[in-house]
Amino acid sequence: MVRWLSRWWRAATSACAQGWQRLWEGLRPLDPYRSVKAALGALVIVSVVITTLLALFAVQSATELRVITIISIVASLLITQFVAQSLTAPLDEMTDAAKAMAGGDYSRRVRGGRRDEFGELAENFNRMAADLQAVDQHRKELVANVSHELRTPIAALRAVLENVVDGVSEADPETMRTALSQTERLGRLVDHLLDLSRLDNGVVPLHSRRFEVWPYLAGVLKEANMSKRSGRARKDVHLHLDVSPPELTAYADPERLHQVVANLIDNAVKHSPQHGRVTVRARPGSGPVAGEGSLEVEVLDEGPGIPESERQRVFDRFSGTHSTEPAKGGKGVSPGGGTGLGLAIARWAVELHGGRIRVAESPRGCRIQLTLPGTKGQPS
């Protein structure tokens, strides 16, 4: 019985508290501290009450009406000035902060703490200022990173051409291949920046269709092997394809998926040890969002891997990729020289399909896993 009464009392108390909260929210327009309209209404009421009381006092004490009128006007002006000052103070702060933001200073904020409409406006203003500050910081980082990425191949290409012009080296095929390699690196950077521009503007549509996975990925690996033979990538890394079942089909945009897998293979090859192995593995997708034609692709290498603390950051723009620490066994890792945009573009293309990409656990090296949902969960 006591336990039942205790539960009933707690339930009744909770219901009363909720009812009081709803009543308090309903009375918000009548609370001068929670509504500008209520504050102005209270100002009018107070002014009328003061005037009425002074008029009654004048009738009872035989004081001249003009004296009472002057006193009433002065009191109303003082009260109005006090209320107006408290109401317009946030607007003055916002004006000063907006002028500072127009001059490039996005660190200014407006004091909050008010419960009325000006308080909500101050919160929204501060949120907007924080967003603008983040965008400005991103813009500065983007300019700095692009300048840094462009400087390296341009300096290398200029050195090669100066040596040829000054007669230090001959314009032999090896020298021209070096110049071509740097030119191609510049081209890849420009392509990545164009892809990111399309990403931000949302002008890249999906053209999904059904295709067989084995011949499709075999073609991607064949292109990667041709790149190795042309001198654009390392020749000592072996590429291996594992598709199960062999007749596996998928439903996706082949061009965007090619972009993802090619970036992942290029990244894995750059960070593999000498005579290492890169495996591309494809399986049917699984999970609650997997539909017909879903696909799961993994790219595994034998390099040093990615520290757990860096696994989310590697998909950010210009963040770089794998760690450059030596692989186990003392074998070195290719320095790579990437733009830091490949994995960002890969994540964008996968999320465009409604899928996800992540760095999965692996006993050795790096294992990047992407999942595409197929016909179920496709963005409209």
Side-chain angles (χ1 to χ4, degrees), residues 5-23:
L5 289 174
S6 177
R7 286 200 300 266
W8 177 84
W9 176 257
R10 286 197 299 268
T13 303
S14 177
C16 290
Q18 294 176 0
W20 174 256
Q21 182 66 27
R22 287 194 295 267
L23 178 62

Side-chain angles (χ1 to χ4, degrees), residues 87-104:
L87 290 178
T88 59
L91 296 179
D92 295 336
E93 291 186 31
M94 291 181 201
T95 301
D96 295 338
K99 290 180 180 178
M101 291 168 62

Side-chain angles (χ1 to χ4, degrees), residues 184-203:
E184 289 171 342
R185 184 179 176 187
L186 281 172
R188 289 195 296 272
L189 175 60
V190 172
D191 290 339
H192 286 168
L193 292 174
L194 288 175
D195 286 334
L196 290 178
S197 176
R198 298 189 187 103
L199 180 163
D200 292 334
N201 293 327
V203 296

Side-chain angles (χ1 to χ4, degrees), residues 106 128-142:
Y106 299 99
M128 179 194 68
D131 292 341
L132 289 175
Q133 187 177 22
V135 169
D136 184 65
Q137 181 65 25
H138 176 72
R139 177 186 61 81
K140 292 178 181 178
E141 292 177 355
L142 178 65

